[in-house]
Amino acid sequence: TQQAASAGARIVVWPECAALVAQSDEARLLATLQQRVQQERIYLAAALCVVRHQSRPWPQGDGALDNKLVLLDPAGAVLATHRKSIAVPGPEAALLVPGDRTLPVVSTPIGKLGLGICFDLDFPALVRSAAGADVLLIAAEDWPGITPYHSVMSQLRAIENGFSVVRAARYGRSIVADRLGRVGAALVDPAEPSGAVAPGLATSEPWMLLGTVSASGAVPLYARTGDVLGWLALVGSLALCLLAALSAKAHSVGAAGILFRLAPQLRRRPQ
């Protein structure tokens, strides 16, 4: 974080679960981070995994691990906290504290900033709750089966909702992309099997990605209407298919009637 700030970063985003901390130590870690952002005069999206319970059973509606993203401003104030909305099915879903189905957006002097975590970005309806943001800050952690394709989800959501994205990922592809999905900077984790990032997009530091985003978003039609146009197109297609089927049936009935009327005359034809 300090190195990024020294390099000129105004917003720093950590990858998912960058800090694993016991619940009893969370307040102390947060206080340390607040001092750091005050010293560096930066916005920090700190990705924390807070261990709430070390063994089962835990209370109903709780979880062993609190996977969240905390946004601090340069004064050290907590602007927003986002708990991962949708856990990956399997072990993660069994362990995480359940989140709500919305992504927070806050207004700041440098623009409207939204928060999202990894798998959240796979769900268009959820991400539309952040429409109106200028920049969506994303903490992610990938694995060989989904990278680098998973980072493309963030680009799609940027196009759909008209905001830029800053995606910090472990074991995958970190990107900075504008609201048209164009990648301005990218960093591939050395452990990612897809190979090196495109020339000209990587930074000189293997552990840090620097990029520039526009803080001027624009809410496109899709962000307002969602899948309404898609459903209308589907209904229209079904209606056309039904009309075509009814028309074909009417023609076949008419042809059968003509043959029925001609049958007696064919039987009386002289041999």
Side-chain angles (χ1 to χ4, degrees):
T1 299
Q2 185 177 10
Q3 293 280 355
S6 298
R10 298 186 64 189
I11 304 172
V12 177
V13 184
W14 287 2
E16 186 177 6
C17 284
L20 182 65
V21 58
Q23 187 176 17
S24 58
D25 295 327
E26 182 183 7
R28 185 167 52 186
L29 173 61
L30 184 60
T32 300
L33 296 178
Q34 289 173 315
Q35 292 178 358
R36 175 60 60 188
V37 297
Q38 289 173 339
Q39 293 170 0
E40 305 295 345
R41 305 304 298 168
I42 59 171
Y43 290 85
L44 173 63
L48 311 179
C49 272
V50 181
V51 180
R52 294 174 60 86
H53 304 282
Q54 296 186 15
S55 62
R56 294 179 184 273
W58 42 77
Q60 182 70 25
D62 202 350
L65 200 63
D66 196 2
N67 186 347
K68 59 187 179 181
L69 195 56
V70 181
L71 180 62
L72 303 174
D73 72 3
V78 177
L79 298 182
T81 298
H82 171 59
R83 179 174 287 134
K84 192 170 187 177
S85 292
I86 303 177
V88 177
E92 184 181 66
L95 293 175
L96 290 194
V97 177
D100 58 15
R101 295 301 181 100
T102 186
L103 304 185
V105 177
V106 294
S107 295
T108 74
I110 62 173
K112 295 181 179 179
L113 304 179
L115 302 177
I117 300 177
C118 201
F119 198 45
D120 292 345
L121 276 293
D122 288 23
F123 298 87
L126 169 63
V127 182
R128 282 201 297 273
S129 66
D134 297 311
V135 184
L136 189 67
L137 310 178
I138 306 162
E141 180 175 332
D142 296 337
W143 59 87
I146 63 172
T147 185
Y149 317 107
H150 204 213
S151 65
V152 178
M153 290 292 186
S154 298
Q155 294 171 250
L156 291 174
R157 301 294 92 85
I159 297 168
E160 291 169 352
N161 296 282
F163 47 56
S164 299
V165 294
V166 178
R167 182 184 195 263
R170 292 200 299 178
Y171 314 125
R173 183 171 178 253
S174 299
I175 61 170
V176 176
D178 66 12
R179 60 189 179 90
L180 298 179
R182 297 174 298 194
V183 176
L187 180 65
V188 177
D189 190 302
E192 185 187 19
S194 65
V197 73
L201 294 181
T203 61
S204 57
E205 296 291 348
W207 44 265
M208 183 172 67
L209 174 67
L210 295 174
T212 302
V213 293
S214 170
S216 57
V219 181
L221 179 62
Y222 177 78
R224 298 188 180 97
T225 63
D227 296 325
V228 171
L229 292 178
W231 284 111
L232 288 176
L234 177 60
V235 171
S237 298
L238 292 175
L240 290 175
C241 291
L242 180 60
L243 288 174
L246 291 175
S247 177
K249 183 177 180 180
H251 281 88
S252 64
V253 170
I258 292 172
L259 290 174
F260 181 78
R261 288 193 296 270
L262 288 176
Q265 299 176 22
L266 292 174
R267 285 197 298 267
R268 293 196 297 271
R269 180 180 297 176
Q271 299 296 323

